[in-house]
Amino acid sequence: MIRKALLPVAGLGTRMLPITKVVPKELLPILNRPAIEYIVQEIIQSGLDTIIFVISSGKEGIVDYFDINLGLRKFLEERNKVELLRLVDRIESQVENLVAVRQKKPEGLGHAVLMGESIVGNEPFAVILGDDLVASDVPCLKQMLSVYLELSAKYEDLSVIALEEVPREDVSKYGIVDGDRVSENIIRMRRVIEKPSLNDAPTNYAIIGRYIFTPKIFEHLKRIPKRGGEYQLTDAIQGLIDDGYPVFGFFFQGMRLDTGNLKGYLKAILYYALQDPELREVVLEMISK
Ligand code: UTP
């Protein structure tokens, strides 16, 4: 039903400077894998087969990581490194259709999503941000697809957006939404406010980096004005709502790990290290010392 995932990874990653001068934040390692691989795995495990990266200059490595590296394969084959070859093959074969489009200027998340319009075409699609990992039993995107499917029976041209309750003092870092309860973990959105002050935030329901849209979002992205030098995706979402399209917020099950800032990045590394029996020992021993 939904085959395509659009991954805007063209941002400059200034919160992670200076490393992001030369390494895209999406390629920063969480143990021995780049952060983006955890996201791509979630997408594949959710049943999608096409990944569209929106990249910018210097971010080609993100696409290359999932593409075939003939030189490396040849090298490993010649030396009969069977295990390593298998490891590399698993990474290179996991994405069936790999597409990259360019955002020439960093004009905001809304602008980046619009860059994918011609590749997405006329079908619903997912948007996933490259720095929000979600650790969960059922992949977060898969949970969202179930909600989308269920609501599709009743609504046309609907969107589903992942939400998380955040501490009140953090509301100014997120798109914050207000809406009406539909069920225990779903609301129908009425309002989206981009990075509100504490006083202006109607709730602490924050949009995190997972969305399911229909191509209607592109029409709205073309209509919104630039604000603070950027086209905000949240303005286009508000446009959908104002035109009467159903936009649902979904409180997913799982733990979000935001690798776009230093503390979140450290938490992500520790989280995954603690999941591995051997590495867990190392972390606990180190801390006890
Ligand atoms: P962020 O707000 O995290 O911006 O963008 P950023 O540039 O990546 O990082 P900071 O804030 O400077 O540290 C959210 C997502 O939107 C993408 C980013 O790559 C990230 O996945 N994005 C943002 C674009 O693709 N293009 C843009 O112009 C802006």
Side-chain angles (χ1 to χ4, degrees), residues 7-17 25-26 54-55 59 103 105-113 128-131 195 230 260-261:
L7 277 69
V9 291
L12 297 174
T14 53
R15 281 168 298 158
M16 288 296 272
L17 278 170
K25 65 176 172 184
E26 296 81 5
V54 182
I55 62 166
K59 295 224 154 180
Q103 183 192 26
K105 290 188 201 156
E107 293 189 304
L109 176 58
H111 182 254
V113 171
I128 303 191
L129 302 192
D131 48 9
K195 301 190 172 73
E230 298 199 339
N261 66 79

PDB file of all heavy atoms in Angstrom, residues 7-17 25-26 54-55 59 103 105-113 128-131 195 230 260-261, ligand 1:
ATOM      1  N   LEU A   7      13.468  10.411   2.806  1.00  0.00           N
ATOM      2  CA  LEU A   7      14.334  10.738   3.944  1.00  0.00           C
ATOM      3  C   LEU A   7      15.101  12.034   3.681  1.00  0.00           C
ATOM      4  O   LEU A   7      16.097  12.031   2.951  1.00  0.00           O
ATOM      5  CB  LEU A   7      15.350   9.601   4.197  1.00  0.00           C
ATOM      6  CG  LEU A   7      14.864   8.413   5.011  1.00  0.00           C
ATOM      7  CD1 LEU A   7      13.843   7.595   4.272  1.00  0.00           C
ATOM      8  CD2 LEU A   7      16.027   7.544   5.427  1.00  0.00           C
ATOM      9  N   PRO A   8      14.620  13.146   4.251  1.00  0.00           N
ATOM     10  CA  PRO A   8      15.353  14.400   4.073  1.00  0.00           C
ATOM     11  C   PRO A   8      16.600  14.385   4.955  1.00  0.00           C
ATOM     12  O   PRO A   8      16.500  14.341   6.175  1.00  0.00           O
ATOM     13  CB  PRO A   8      14.369  15.469   4.558  1.00  0.00           C
ATOM     14  CG  PRO A   8      13.081  14.750   4.834  1.00  0.00           C
ATOM     15  CD  PRO A   8      13.429  13.327   5.074  1.00  0.00           C
ATOM     16  N   VAL A   9      17.754  14.378   4.321  1.00  0.00           N
ATOM     17  CA  VAL A   9      19.014  14.344   5.091  1.00  0.00           C
ATOM     18  C   VAL A   9      19.958  15.439   4.586  1.00  0.00           C
ATOM     19  O   VAL A   9      21.168  15.294   4.607  1.00  0.00           O
ATOM     20  CB  VAL A   9      19.700  12.955   5.006  1.00  0.00           C
ATOM     21  CG1 VAL A   9      18.900  11.909   5.747  1.00  0.00           C
ATOM     22  CG2 VAL A   9      19.905  12.518   3.555  1.00  0.00           C
ATOM     23  N   ALA A  10      19.364  16.541   4.125  1.00  0.00           N
ATOM     24  CA  ALA A  10      20.170  17.594   3.505  1.00  0.00           C
ATOM     25  C   ALA A  10      20.588  18.686   4.480  1.00  0.00           C
ATOM     26  O   ALA A  10      21.339  19.587   4.120  1.00  0.00           O
ATOM     27  CB  ALA A  10      19.395  18.201   2.337  1.00  0.00           C
ATOM     28  N   GLY A  11      20.112  18.606   5.726  1.00  0.00           N
ATOM     29  CA  GLY A  11      20.407  19.661   6.712  1.00  0.00           C
ATOM     30  C   GLY A  11      21.889  19.699   7.069  1.00  0.00           C
ATOM     31  O   GLY A  11      22.636  18.761   6.816  1.00  0.00           O
ATOM     32  N   LEU A  12      22.294  20.807   7.677  1.00  0.00           N
ATOM     33  CA  LEU A  12      23.720  21.023   7.957  1.00  0.00           C
ATOM     34  C   LEU A  12      24.179  20.409   9.284  1.00  0.00           C
ATOM     35  O   LEU A  12      25.373  20.282   9.521  1.00  0.00           O
ATOM     36  CB  LEU A  12      24.028  22.524   7.950  1.00  0.00           C
ATOM     37  CG  LEU A  12      23.802  23.207   6.588  1.00  0.00           C
ATOM     38  CD1 LEU A  12      23.979  24.708   6.709  1.00  0.00           C
ATOM     39  CD2 LEU A  12      24.749  22.634   5.538  1.00  0.00           C
ATOM     40  N   GLY A  13      23.230  20.065  10.139  1.00  0.00           N
ATOM     41  CA  GLY A  13      23.600  19.420  11.408  1.00  0.00           C
ATOM     42  C   GLY A  13      24.459  20.288  12.304  1.00  0.00           C
ATOM     43  O   GLY A  13      25.408  19.812  12.931  1.00  0.00           O
ATOM     44  N   THR A  14      24.092  21.567  12.420  1.00  0.00           N
ATOM     45  CA  THR A  14      24.955  22.500  13.164  1.00  0.00           C
ATOM     46  C   THR A  14      25.055  22.169  14.661  1.00  0.00           C
ATOM     47  O   THR A  14      26.048  22.497  15.293  1.00  0.00           O
ATOM     48  CB  THR A  14      24.454  23.948  13.023  1.00  0.00           C
ATOM     49  OG1 THR A  14      23.072  23.981  13.389  1.00  0.00           O
ATOM     50  CG2 THR A  14      24.603  24.449  11.592  1.00  0.00           C
ATOM     51  N   ARG A  15      24.010  21.506  15.201  1.00  0.00           N
ATOM     52  CA  ARG A  15      24.089  21.196  16.639  1.00  0.00           C
ATOM     53  C   ARG A  15      25.170  20.175  16.949  1.00  0.00           C
ATOM     54  O   ARG A  15      25.568  20.026  18.087  1.00  0.00           O
ATOM     55  CB  ARG A  15      22.724  20.681  17.139  1.00  0.00           C
ATOM     56  CG  ARG A  15      21.710  21.785  17.385  1.00  0.00           C
ATOM     57  CD  ARG A  15      20.337  21.214  17.583  1.00  0.00           C
ATOM     58  NE  ARG A  15      19.894  20.513  16.388  1.00  0.00           N
ATOM     59  CZ  ARG A  15      18.953  19.573  16.379  1.00  0.00           C
ATOM     60  NH1 ARG A  15      18.381  19.199  17.493  1.00  0.00           N
ATOM     61  NH2 ARG A  15      18.613  18.996  15.246  1.00  0.00           N
ATOM     62  N   MET A  16      25.629  19.483  15.927  1.00  0.00           N
ATOM     63  CA  MET A  16      26.683  18.484  16.154  1.00  0.00           C
ATOM     64  C   MET A  16      28.041  18.959  15.626  1.00  0.00           C
ATOM     65  O   MET A  16      28.957  18.152  15.466  1.00  0.00           O
ATOM     66  CB  MET A  16      26.291  17.147  15.526  1.00  0.00           C
ATOM     67  CG  MET A  16      25.177  16.427  16.270  1.00  0.00           C
ATOM     68  SD  MET A  16      25.631  15.950  17.946  1.00  0.00           S
ATOM     69  CE  MET A  16      26.366  14.335  17.623  1.00  0.00           C
ATOM     70  N   LEU A  17      28.184  20.250  15.364  1.00  0.00           N
ATOM     71  CA  LEU A  17      29.499  20.749  14.967  1.00  0.00           C
ATOM     72  C   LEU A  17      30.485  20.550  16.118  1.00  0.00           C
ATOM     73  O   LEU A  17      30.063  20.554  17.267  1.00  0.00           O
ATOM     74  CB  LEU A  17      29.398  22.258  14.636  1.00  0.00           C
ATOM     75  CG  LEU A  17      28.895  22.582  13.230  1.00  0.00           C
ATOM     76  CD1 LEU A  17      28.590  24.073  13.099  1.00  0.00           C
ATOM     77  CD2 LEU A  17      29.908  22.152  12.159  1.00  0.00           C
ATOM     78  N   LYS A  25      25.675  14.030  10.042  1.00  0.00           N
ATOM     79  CA  LYS A  25      25.264  13.459  11.342  1.00  0.00           C
ATOM     80  C   LYS A  25      24.590  12.100  11.152  1.00  0.00           C
ATOM     81  O   LYS A  25      24.645  11.253  12.035  1.00  0.00           O
ATOM     82  CB  LYS A  25      24.356  14.426  12.104  1.00  0.00           C
ATOM     83  CG  LYS A  25      23.021  14.701  11.462  1.00  0.00           C
ATOM     84  CD  LYS A  25      22.157  15.604  12.335  1.00  0.00           C
ATOM     85  CE  LYS A  25      20.910  16.020  11.570  1.00  0.00           C
ATOM     86  NZ  LYS A  25      20.071  16.957  12.286  1.00  0.00           N
ATOM     87  N   GLU A  26      24.002  11.881   9.981  1.00  0.00           N
ATOM     88  CA  GLU A  26      23.328  10.598   9.720  1.00  0.00           C
ATOM     89  C   GLU A  26      24.330   9.456   9.598  1.00  0.00           C
ATOM     90  O   GLU A  26      23.962   8.291   9.679  1.00  0.00           O
ATOM     91  CB  GLU A  26      22.511  10.677   8.427  1.00  0.00           C
ATOM     92  CG  GLU A  26      21.361  11.672   8.457  1.00  0.00           C
ATOM     93  CD  GLU A  26      21.788  13.122   8.212  1.00  0.00           C
ATOM     94  OE1 GLU A  26      22.992  13.355   7.911  1.00  0.00           O
ATOM     95  OE2 GLU A  26      20.943  14.015   8.339  1.00  0.00           O
ATOM     96  N   VAL A  54      16.858  12.761   0.269  1.00  0.00           N
ATOM     97  CA  VAL A  54      17.041  14.139  -0.196  1.00  0.00           C
ATOM     98  C   VAL A  54      18.368  14.593   0.400  1.00  0.00           C
ATOM     99  O   VAL A  54      18.470  14.785   1.626  1.00  0.00           O
ATOM    100  CB  VAL A  54      15.891  15.064   0.272  1.00  0.00           C
ATOM    101  CG1 VAL A  54      16.106  16.475  -0.273  1.00  0.00           C
ATOM    102  CG2 VAL A  54      14.553  14.512  -0.175  1.00  0.00           C
ATOM    103  N   ILE A  55      19.365  14.702  -0.453  1.00  0.00           N
ATOM    104  CA  ILE A  55      20.714  15.003   0.052  1.00  0.00           C
ATOM    105  C   ILE A  55      21.153  16.396  -0.395  1.00  0.00           C
ATOM    106  O   ILE A  55      20.474  17.056  -1.184  1.00  0.00           O
ATOM    107  CB  ILE A  55      21.751  13.955  -0.425  1.00  0.00           C
ATOM    108  CG1 ILE A  55      21.856  13.943  -1.963  1.00  0.00           C
ATOM    109  CG2 ILE A  55      21.422  12.583   0.105  1.00  0.00           C
ATOM    110  CD1 ILE A  55      23.076  13.187  -2.469  1.00  0.00           C
ATOM    111  N   LYS A  59      26.886  15.040   1.220  1.00  0.00           N
ATOM    112  CA  LYS A  59      26.128  13.994   1.916  1.00  0.00           C
ATOM    113  C   LYS A  59      25.962  12.733   1.068  1.00  0.00           C
ATOM    114  O   LYS A  59      25.148  11.865   1.386  1.00  0.00           O
ATOM    115  CB  LYS A  59      24.776  14.559   2.315  1.00  0.00           C
ATOM    116  CG  LYS A  59      24.889  15.695   3.337  1.00  0.00           C
ATOM    117  CD  LYS A  59      23.874  15.515   4.410  1.00  0.00           C
ATOM    118  CE  LYS A  59      24.274  16.152   5.708  1.00  0.00           C
ATOM    119  NZ  LYS A  59      23.253  15.962   6.727  1.00  0.00           N
ATOM    120  N   GLN A 103      18.714  18.726  -2.682  1.00  0.00           N
ATOM    121  CA  GLN A 103      18.210  20.020  -2.259  1.00  0.00           C
ATOM    122  C   GLN A 103      19.424  20.940  -2.331  1.00  0.00           C
ATOM    123  O   GLN A 103      20.366  20.787  -1.551  1.00  0.00           O
ATOM    124  CB  GLN A 103      17.671  19.948  -0.824  1.00  0.00           C
ATOM    125  CG  GLN A 103      17.059  21.255  -0.360  1.00  0.00           C
ATOM    126  CD  GLN A 103      16.785  21.278   1.128  1.00  0.00           C
ATOM    127  OE1 GLN A 103      17.418  20.578   1.932  1.00  0.00           O
ATOM    128  NE2 GLN A 103      15.841  22.111   1.536  1.00  0.00           N
ATOM    129  N   LYS A 105      19.857  24.187  -1.812  1.00  0.00           N
ATOM    130  CA  LYS A 105      20.060  25.140  -0.707  1.00  0.00           C
ATOM    131  C   LYS A 105      19.287  24.643   0.509  1.00  0.00           C
ATOM    132  O   LYS A 105      18.176  24.132   0.352  1.00  0.00           O
ATOM    133  CB  LYS A 105      19.520  26.519  -1.081  1.00  0.00           C
ATOM    134  CG  LYS A 105      20.326  27.232  -2.134  1.00  0.00           C
ATOM    135  CD  LYS A 105      19.779  28.658  -2.228  1.00  0.00           C
ATOM    136  CE  LYS A 105      20.152  29.268  -3.560  1.00  0.00           C
ATOM    137  NZ  LYS A 105      19.222  30.352  -3.920  1.00  0.00           N
ATOM    138  N   PRO A 106      19.823  24.843   1.725  1.00  0.00           N
ATOM    139  CA  PRO A 106      19.111  24.373   2.921  1.00  0.00           C
ATOM    140  C   PRO A 106      17.954  25.301   3.265  1.00  0.00           C
ATOM    141  O   PRO A 106      18.040  26.115   4.180  1.00  0.00           O
ATOM    142  CB  PRO A 106      20.196  24.388   4.005  1.00  0.00           C
ATOM    143  CG  PRO A 106      21.177  25.403   3.559  1.00  0.00           C
ATOM    144  CD  PRO A 106      21.120  25.476   2.062  1.00  0.00           C
ATOM    145  N   GLU A 107      16.864  25.166   2.500  1.00  0.00           N
ATOM    146  CA  GLU A 107      15.739  26.083   2.693  1.00  0.00           C
ATOM    147  C   GLU A 107      14.633  25.482   3.559  1.00  0.00           C
ATOM    148  O   GLU A 107      13.469  25.848   3.424  1.00  0.00           O
ATOM    149  CB  GLU A 107      15.196  26.519   1.333  1.00  0.00           C
ATOM    150  CG  GLU A 107      16.229  27.384   0.588  1.00  0.00           C
ATOM    151  CD  GLU A 107      15.680  28.019  -0.669  1.00  0.00           C
ATOM    152  OE1 GLU A 107      15.183  27.284  -1.542  1.00  0.00           O
ATOM    153  OE2 GLU A 107      15.767  29.245  -0.778  1.00  0.00           O
ATOM    154  N   GLY A 108      15.013  24.533   4.393  1.00  0.00           N
ATOM    155  CA  GLY A 108      14.053  24.024   5.364  1.00  0.00           C
ATOM    156  C   GLY A 108      13.516  22.638   5.025  1.00  0.00           C
ATOM    157  O   GLY A 108      13.606  22.171   3.893  1.00  0.00           O
ATOM    158  N   LEU A 109      12.940  22.020   6.072  1.00  0.00           N
ATOM    159  CA  LEU A 109      12.405  20.661   5.922  1.00  0.00           C
ATOM    160  C   LEU A 109      11.275  20.617   4.888  1.00  0.00           C
ATOM    161  O   LEU A 109      11.188  19.677   4.088  1.00  0.00           O
ATOM    162  CB  LEU A 109      11.920  20.168   7.297  1.00  0.00           C
ATOM    163  CG  LEU A 109      11.250  18.810   7.355  1.00  0.00           C
ATOM    164  CD1 LEU A 109      12.165  17.713   6.818  1.00  0.00           C
ATOM    165  CD2 LEU A 109      10.821  18.482   8.786  1.00  0.00           C
ATOM    166  N   GLY A 110      10.414  21.636   4.898  1.00  0.00           N
ATOM    167  CA  GLY A 110       9.307  21.674   3.926  1.00  0.00           C
ATOM    168  C   GLY A 110       9.836  21.663   2.501  1.00  0.00           C
ATOM    169  O   GLY A 110       9.357  20.909   1.640  1.00  0.00           O
ATOM    170  N   HIS A 111      10.836  22.448   2.258  1.00  0.00           N
ATOM    171  CA  HIS A 111      11.458  22.534   0.929  1.00  0.00           C
ATOM    172  C   HIS A 111      12.104  21.193   0.561  1.00  0.00           C
ATOM    173  O   HIS A 111      11.983  20.722  -0.572  1.00  0.00           O
ATOM    174  CB  HIS A 111      12.494  23.665   0.954  1.00  0.00           C
ATOM    175  CG  HIS A 111      13.185  23.897  -0.344  1.00  0.00           C
ATOM    176  ND1 HIS A 111      14.494  23.518  -0.552  1.00  0.00           N
ATOM    177  CD2 HIS A 111      12.759  24.444  -1.509  1.00  0.00           C
ATOM    178  CE1 HIS A 111      14.837  23.840  -1.785  1.00  0.00           C
ATOM    179  NE2 HIS A 111      13.813  24.403  -2.389  1.00  0.00           N
ATOM    180  N   ALA A 112      12.758  20.564   1.533  1.00  0.00           N
ATOM    181  CA  ALA A 112      13.412  19.272   1.275  1.00  0.00           C
ATOM    182  C   ALA A 112      12.376  18.217   0.860  1.00  0.00           C
ATOM    183  O   ALA A 112      12.592  17.457  -0.086  1.00  0.00           O
ATOM    184  CB  ALA A 112      14.173  18.804   2.523  1.00  0.00           C
ATOM    185  N   VAL A 113      11.239  18.204   1.549  1.00  0.00           N
ATOM    186  CA  VAL A 113      10.200  17.222   1.220  1.00  0.00           C
ATOM    187  C   VAL A 113       9.679  17.474  -0.202  1.00  0.00           C
ATOM    188  O   VAL A 113       9.482  16.542  -0.988  1.00  0.00           O
ATOM    189  CB  VAL A 113       9.045  17.265   2.259  1.00  0.00           C
ATOM    190  CG1 VAL A 113       7.865  16.416   1.803  1.00  0.00           C
ATOM    191  CG2 VAL A 113       9.550  16.792   3.622  1.00  0.00           C
ATOM    192  N   ILE A 128      10.588  10.290   6.837  1.00  0.00           N
ATOM    193  CA  ILE A 128      11.273   9.916   8.077  1.00  0.00           C
ATOM    194  C   ILE A 128      12.536  10.764   8.216  1.00  0.00           C
ATOM    195  O   ILE A 128      13.314  10.879   7.263  1.00  0.00           O
ATOM    196  CB  ILE A 128      11.654   8.424   8.047  1.00  0.00           C
ATOM    197  CG1 ILE A 128      10.383   7.627   7.821  1.00  0.00           C
ATOM    198  CG2 ILE A 128      12.363   8.016   9.315  1.00  0.00           C
ATOM    199  CD1 ILE A 128      10.529   6.178   8.020  1.00  0.00           C
ATOM    200  N   LEU A 129      12.725  11.350   9.381  1.00  0.00           N
ATOM    201  CA  LEU A 129      13.915  12.182   9.574  1.00  0.00           C
ATOM    202  C   LEU A 129      15.106  11.325   9.991  1.00  0.00           C
ATOM    203  O   LEU A 129      14.966  10.365  10.764  1.00  0.00           O
ATOM    204  CB  LEU A 129      13.654  13.267  10.623  1.00  0.00           C
ATOM    205  CG  LEU A 129      12.486  14.203  10.313  1.00  0.00           C
ATOM    206  CD1 LEU A 129      12.510  15.401  11.246  1.00  0.00           C
ATOM    207  CD2 LEU A 129      12.511  14.677   8.856  1.00  0.00           C
ATOM    208  N   GLY A 130      16.252  11.716   9.469  1.00  0.00           N
ATOM    209  CA  GLY A 130      17.453  10.886   9.619  1.00  0.00           C
ATOM    210  C   GLY A 130      18.073  10.884  11.004  1.00  0.00           C
ATOM    211  O   GLY A 130      19.013  10.130  11.247  1.00  0.00           O
ATOM    212  N   ASP A 131      17.567  11.698  11.929  1.00  0.00           N
ATOM    213  CA  ASP A 131      18.224  11.697  13.243  1.00  0.00           C
ATOM    214  C   ASP A 131      17.317  11.237  14.380  1.00  0.00           C
ATOM    215  O   ASP A 131      17.731  11.241  15.531  1.00  0.00           O
ATOM    216  CB  ASP A 131      18.834  13.071  13.559  1.00  0.00           C
ATOM    217  CG  ASP A 131      17.860  14.207  13.300  1.00  0.00           C
ATOM    218  OD1 ASP A 131      16.677  13.924  13.053  1.00  0.00           O
ATOM    219  OD2 ASP A 131      18.296  15.368  13.344  1.00  0.00           O
ATOM    220  N   LYS A 195       7.705  25.279  17.047  1.00  0.00           N
ATOM    221  CA  LYS A 195       8.561  25.774  18.133  1.00  0.00           C
ATOM    222  C   LYS A 195       7.925  26.915  18.952  1.00  0.00           C
ATOM    223  O   LYS A 195       8.446  28.038  18.985  1.00  0.00           O
ATOM    224  CB  LYS A 195       9.912  26.231  17.564  1.00  0.00           C
ATOM    225  CG  LYS A 195      10.651  25.097  16.834  1.00  0.00           C
ATOM    226  CD  LYS A 195      12.066  25.476  16.489  1.00  0.00           C
ATOM    227  CE  LYS A 195      12.868  24.320  15.940  1.00  0.00           C
ATOM    228  NZ  LYS A 195      12.550  23.907  14.585  1.00  0.00           N
ATOM    229  N   GLU A 230      13.286  29.646   6.015  1.00  0.00           N
ATOM    230  CA  GLU A 230      12.994  28.227   5.728  1.00  0.00           C
ATOM    231  C   GLU A 230      11.512  28.001   5.433  1.00  0.00           C
ATOM    232  O   GLU A 230      10.656  28.737   5.931  1.00  0.00           O
ATOM    233  CB  GLU A 230      13.378  27.362   6.940  1.00  0.00           C
ATOM    234  CG  GLU A 230      14.852  27.415   7.290  1.00  0.00           C
ATOM    235  CD  GLU A 230      15.287  26.239   8.155  1.00  0.00           C
ATOM    236  OE1 GLU A 230      14.436  25.620   8.803  1.00  0.00           O
ATOM    237  OE2 GLU A 230      16.507  25.971   8.166  1.00  0.00           O
ATOM    238  N   GLY A 260      20.496  13.863  16.856  1.00  0.00           N
ATOM    239  CA  GLY A 260      20.888  15.152  16.273  1.00  0.00           C
ATOM    240  C   GLY A 260      21.524  16.118  17.259  1.00  0.00           C
ATOM    241  O   GLY A 260      21.915  17.217  16.891  1.00  0.00           O
ATOM    242  N   ASN A 261      21.584  15.715  18.537  1.00  0.00           N
ATOM    243  CA  ASN A 261      22.295  16.553  19.523  1.00  0.00           C
ATOM    244  C   ASN A 261      23.166  15.632  20.374  1.00  0.00           C
ATOM    245  O   ASN A 261      22.933  14.416  20.438  1.00  0.00           O
ATOM    246  CB  ASN A 261      21.290  17.340  20.384  1.00  0.00           C
ATOM    247  CG  ASN A 261      20.466  16.429  21.262  1.00  0.00           C
ATOM    248  OD1 ASN A 261      20.913  15.971  22.306  1.00  0.00           O
ATOM    249  ND2 ASN A 261      19.247  16.120  20.829  1.00  0.00           N
TER     250      ASN A 261
HETATM  251  P1  UTP B   1      17.035  19.803  11.710  1.00  0.00           P
HETATM  252  O1  UTP B   1      16.142  20.808  12.279  1.00  0.00           O
HETATM  253  O2  UTP B   1      17.511  18.717  12.601  1.00  0.00           O
HETATM  254  O3  UTP B   1      18.249  20.585  11.027  1.00  0.00           O
HETATM  255  O4  UTP B   1      16.312  19.196  10.447  1.00  0.00           O
HETATM  256  P2  UTP B   1      19.690  20.094  10.706  1.00  0.00           P
HETATM  257  O5  UTP B   1      20.304  21.052   9.764  1.00  0.00           O
HETATM  258  O6  UTP B   1      19.703  18.666  10.235  1.00  0.00           O
HETATM  259  O7  UTP B   1      20.448  20.122  12.113  1.00  0.00           O
HETATM  260  P3  UTP B   1      20.802  21.371  13.077  1.00  0.00           P
HETATM  261  O8  UTP B   1      19.500  21.836  13.667  1.00  0.00           O
HETATM  262  O9  UTP B   1      21.503  22.427  12.271  1.00  0.00           O
HETATM  263  O10 UTP B   1      21.707  20.753  14.096  1.00  0.00           O
HETATM  264  C1  UTP B   1      15.382  18.148  10.540  1.00  0.00           C
HETATM  265  C2  UTP B   1      15.574  17.229   9.353  1.00  0.00           C
HETATM  266  O11 UTP B   1      15.323  17.922   8.140  1.00  0.00           O
HETATM  267  C3  UTP B   1      16.421  17.820   7.251  1.00  0.00           C
HETATM  268  C4  UTP B   1      17.611  17.503   8.136  1.00  0.00           C
HETATM  269  O12 UTP B   1      18.595  16.808   7.404  1.00  0.00           O
HETATM  270  C5  UTP B   1      16.984  16.676   9.246  1.00  0.00           C
HETATM  271  O13 UTP B   1      16.859  15.304   8.903  1.00  0.00           O
HETATM  272  N1  UTP B   1      16.568  19.101   6.531  1.00  0.00           N
HETATM  273  C6  UTP B   1      16.506  20.271   7.214  1.00  0.00           C
HETATM  274  C7  UTP B   1      16.772  19.091   5.168  1.00  0.00           C
HETATM  275  O14 UTP B   1      16.839  18.017   4.526  1.00  0.00           O
HETATM  276  N2  UTP B   1      16.911  20.282   4.523  1.00  0.00           N
HETATM  277  C8  UTP B   1      16.850  21.471   5.176  1.00  0.00           C
HETATM  278  O15 UTP B   1      16.968  22.528   4.519  1.00  0.00           O
HETATM  279  C9  UTP B   1      16.647  21.456   6.547  1.00  0.00           C
END
